[in-house]
């Protein structure tokens, strides 16, 4: 007997993309799904599109609510979910017709709690991407299985881009017990992913890209840097504290350096993109120095120690050091 998968789609101002997204979900070869469309007070024609799809397919459930943001919409979908499993699709993205069939098969075969696939970034106005499944059918699919601690480490490896987003995954529903998205924040995945990955005793990953992520210039993350992007720093602060409380010292060190790197980058982005916000980047510099001094130099590479100490003297010095190191690395590669 097939198990029910709840597919949650948070919707706001995406009328030109929504039909393609919903068609890709409803055309899944894994048929036992419910598609929960949460219209988050969208002022365009999204509400009408949702109702049309609900009339055409009884698997579609529509909830209309006042605008509360992406996290509020996803949380509303979780509350409505009746499935054994939960997954998310952003309304401007689309998925391969065999995505849930494959994710579910991998999850069951490896007795995992989360099943992950690769994804492809699609630029706006590109045609529909068609991923060949020849490598799967020929038995050449590359499968990796991790425990929760190993998966958390991949937040800081070359696999970080497949572990961070919530949308290329199939989750056992119970992983969300007591776990919800943080309302009012962007970079909402950064606030929640370490909780979900840690709750999973086993995670299975296939490198086959079955989720198609649309890169839009009008999306929040595609726009010019703005102060709202600093929510990411808050999320990473929470992650550092989480690892500390759990006693994950190795992950704590990695999370700490990752946070310092982003704090360093955001300082320059604010200074160059938002010069009128002088107090904000002054506070960031102060926060950077306080955070660095409170933790000392534990776990940092020699280059990092030099860069952070130069930043304390003057940010321009650390920037010059970074430029010099990159030039040296480039010349070494040319030899």
């Amino acid at each position: 007997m097939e198990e029910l998968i709840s597919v949650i789609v948070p919707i706001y101002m995406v009328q030109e993309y929504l039909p393609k997204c919903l068609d890709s979900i409803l055309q899944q070869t894994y048929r036992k799904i419910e598609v929960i469309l949460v219209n988050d007070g969208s002022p365009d024609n999204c509400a009408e599109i949702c109702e049309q799809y609900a009339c055409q397919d009884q698997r579609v459930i529509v909830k209309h609510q006042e605008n509360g943001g992406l996290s509020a919409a996803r949380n509303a979908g979780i509350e409505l979910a009746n499935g054994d499993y939960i997954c998310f699709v952003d309304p401007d993205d689309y998925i391969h017709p065999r995505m849930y069939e494959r994710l579910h098969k991998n999850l069951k075969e490896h007795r995992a709690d989360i099943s992950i696939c690769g994804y492809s970034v699609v630029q706006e106005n590109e045609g529909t991407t068609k991923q060949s499944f020849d490598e799967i059918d020929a038995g050449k699919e590359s499968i990796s299985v991790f425990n929760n601690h190993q998966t958390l480490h991949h937040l800081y490896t070359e696999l970080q881009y497949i572990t961070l987003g919530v949308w290329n995954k199939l989750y056992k529903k119970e992983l969300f017990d007591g776990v919800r998205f943080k309302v009012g924040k962007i970079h909402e995945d950064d606030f929640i992913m370490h909780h979900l990955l840690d709750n999973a005793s086993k995670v299975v990953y296939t490198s086959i890209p079955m989720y198609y992520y649309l890169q839009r210039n009008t999306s929040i993350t595609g726009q010019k840097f703005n102060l709202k992007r600093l929510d990411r720093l808050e999320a990473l602060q929470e992650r550092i504290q989480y690892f500390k409380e759990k006693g994950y010292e190795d992950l704590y060190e990695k999370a700490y350096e990752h946070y310092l790197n982003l704090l360093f980058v955001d300082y320059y982005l604010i200074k160059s993109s938002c010069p009128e916000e002088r107090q904000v980047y002054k506070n960031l510099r102060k926060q950077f120095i306080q955070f660095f001094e409170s933790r000392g130099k534990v776990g940092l590479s020699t280059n990092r120690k030099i860069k952070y100490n130069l930043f304390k003297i003057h940010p321009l010095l650390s920037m010059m050091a970074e430029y010099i190191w990159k030039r040296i690395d480039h010349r070494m590669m040319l030899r």
Side-chain angles (χ1 to χ4, degrees):
M1 183 177 179
E2 282 189 320
E3 298 172 295
L4 179 64
I5 295 176
S6 297
V7 186
I8 298 170
V9 186
I11 296 166
Y12 185 78
M13 292 286 287
V14 286
Q15 63 180 20
E16 64 267 47
Y17 310 103
L18 188 56
K20 183 175 183 177
C21 171
L22 298 184
D23 288 342
S24 74
I25 297 171
L26 294 171
Q27 292 168 5
Q28 289 293 297
T29 54
Y30 190 98
R31 302 297 297 168
K32 193 168 182 181
I33 61 175
E34 62 174 10
V35 186
I36 303 172
L37 309 181
V38 183
N39 171 36
D40 193 41
S42 186
D44 58 4
N45 293 323
C46 284
E48 291 79 1
I49 295 172
C50 291
E51 293 297 341
Q52 289 171 8
Y53 274 85
C55 290
Q56 296 168 7
D57 196 314
Q58 63 181 3
R59 295 176 298 171
V60 176
I61 301 167
V62 180
K63 176 179 174 59
H64 301 285
Q65 65 182 32
E66 293 185 5
N67 180 249
L70 177 58
S71 291
R74 284 176 174 169
N75 288 342
I78 294 171
E79 296 299 328
L80 289 172
N82 299 301
D84 304 287
Y85 303 96
I86 286 177
C87 52
F88 302 92
V89 180
D90 284 350
D92 46 359
D93 301 335
Y94 54 99
I95 60 178
H96 191 280
R98 290 177 63 180
M99 177 172 164
Y100 294 138
E101 171 199 329
R102 199 65 197 178
L103 288 182
H104 183 264
K105 182 176 185 293
N106 287 347
L107 187 144
K108 297 300 287 186
E109 284 186 355
H110 296 278
R111 298 181 180 179
D113 301 311
I114 299 177
S115 184
I116 307 176
C117 68
Y119 71 93
S120 295
V121 176
V122 180
Q123 299 300 320
E124 198 160 6
N125 300 322
E126 279 188 9
T128 300
T129 301
K130 293 187 181 299
Q131 170 65 37
S132 169
F133 267 59
D134 291 344
E135 55 265 62
I136 289 180
D137 296 330
K140 297 180 181 179
E141 182 181 14
S142 177
I143 297 287
S144 301
V145 181
F146 312 107
N147 62 34
N148 59 343
H149 206 76
Q150 291 170 328
T151 312
L152 287 169
H153 270 283
H154 285 308
L155 290 170
Y156 310 104
T157 70
E158 70 280 357
L159 290 180
Q160 63 179 290
Y161 296 107
I162 62 96
T163 54
L164 279 175
V166 298
W167 26 260
N168 60 332
K169 301 171 177 66
L170 181 68
Y171 310 84
K172 283 188 176 180
K173 185 181 180 181
E174 57 261 32
L175 297 182
F176 287 88
D177 290 347
V179 177
R180 291 294 184 271
F181 292 92
K182 197 161 187 176
V183 176
K185 303 292 183 181
I186 67 169
H187 294 286
E188 56 285 321
D189 295 358
D190 284 319
F191 284 94
I192 198 173
M193 275 313 304
H194 54 282
H195 292 280
L196 296 173
L197 295 176
D198 197 25
N199 286 346
S201 60
K202 189 184 293 185
V203 175
V204 58
Y205 164 66
T206 172
S207 60
I208 303 297
M210 292 180 278
Y211 188 99
Y212 305 120
Y213 180 94
L214 182 67
Q215 185 67 58
R216 289 196 289 148
N217 292 331
T218 55
S219 67
I220 292 174
T221 53
Q223 294 172 0
K224 182 180 177 182
F225 184 87
N226 62 76
L227 296 182
K228 190 63 179 167
R229 296 275 285 274
L230 295 181
D231 286 350
R232 172 178 57 175
L233 294 178
E234 181 183 339
L236 297 182
Q237 286 176 334
E238 290 190 8
R239 184 175 296 168
I240 290 169
Q241 185 61 29
Y242 178 84
F243 290 153
K244 182 178 182 180
E245 292 174 355
K246 296 285 286 189
Y248 299 160
E249 187 63 26
D250 50 349
L251 288 164
Y252 176 59
E253 299 296 344
K254 289 186 176 183
Y256 162 67
E257 182 166 358
H258 181 59
Y259 171 79
L260 285 180
N261 288 338
L262 291 177
L263 185 59
F264 177 82
V265 169
D266 284 349
Y267 172 86
Y268 287 108
L269 286 173
I270 292 174
K271 195 164 186 178
S272 60
S273 302
C274 314
E276 70 281 3
E277 300 290 349
R278 294 184 60 85
Q279 192 56 48
V280 175
Y281 64 74
K282 283 182 179 179
N283 289 341
L284 274 185
R285 184 184 177 193
K286 181 179 178 181
Q287 181 183 352
F288 182 98
I289 293 172
Q290 288 177 340
F291 203 95
F292 177 64
E293 291 182 341
S294 69
R295 286 286 292 113
K297 304 173 183 178
V298 179
L300 298 180
S301 64
T302 301
N303 282 1
R304 297 297 186 201
K305 294 173 187 176
I306 295 171
K307 186 174 77 170
Y308 298 149
N309 278 308
L310 288 174
F311 184 90
K312 289 164 60 179
I313 300 170
H314 195 285
L316 185 60
L317 293 175
S318 61
M319 188 184 232
M320 291 172 62
E322 186 79 6
Y323 173 77
I324 292 170
W325 286 327
K326 286 182 179 178
R327 292 286 294 176
I328 292 173
D329 289 343
H330 179 67
R331 289 183 178 181
M332 293 294 290
M333 290 174 64
L334 294 177
R335 286 185 177 181

